[in-house]
């Protein structure tokens, strides 16, 4: 799984479980690449992501934080494309 700019943990989707990232974390058992920009106002990153990442069930994870950046979602790909490609290639199969 590749996560680009996960929404703030207070975000709630549909009324089905899990409804937010914090609720979903224990169910994430696949390899995870979690990418975020530290100054993105609509995503969680850095200290605000620590509890989420600690609750993720998988131990196969990579975290990429873009310091002093407000990039969101696929806008980050120009910067981290090789990391994403390497992660996906390592887990293809």
């Amino acid at each position: 799984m590749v996560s680009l700019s996960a929404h703030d943990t207070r975000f709630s989707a549909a009324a089905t479980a899990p409804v937010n990232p914090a609720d979903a974390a224990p169910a994430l058992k696949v390899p995870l690449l979690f990418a975020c920009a530290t100054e993105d106002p609509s995503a969680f990153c850095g200290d605000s992501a620590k509890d989420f990442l600690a609750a993720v069930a998988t131990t196969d994870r990579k975290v990429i934080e873009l310091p002093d950046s407000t990039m969101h979602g696929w806008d980050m790909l120009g910067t981290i494309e090789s990391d994403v490609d390497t992660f996906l290639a390592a887990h293809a199969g």
Side-chain angles (χ1 to χ4, degrees):
M1 182 173 118
V2 175
S3 172
L4 303 175
S5 303
H7 279 278
D8 188 294
T9 55
R10 294 167 295 185
F11 172 78
S12 181
T16 59
V19 297
N20 60 47
D23 289 345
L28 294 177
K29 298 176 182 172
V30 297
L32 170 66
L33 171 61
F34 183 87
C36 60
T38 60
E39 302 303 317
D40 180 351
S42 64
F44 62 104
C45 194
D47 287 342
S48 64
K50 285 183 181 176
D51 289 340
F52 168 78
L53 292 168
V56 169
T58 187
T59 57
D60 187 352
R61 73 184 87 179
K62 177 176 175 113
V63 177
I64 299 172
E65 292 183 2
L66 301 178
D68 303 318
S69 174
T70 59
M71 284 191 277
H72 183 81
W74 68 278
D75 290 333
M76 291 190 288
L77 287 178
T79 303
I80 65 169
E81 182 175 6
S82 64
D83 294 299
V84 173
D85 288 346
T86 299
F87 180 83
L88 292 175
H91 296 91

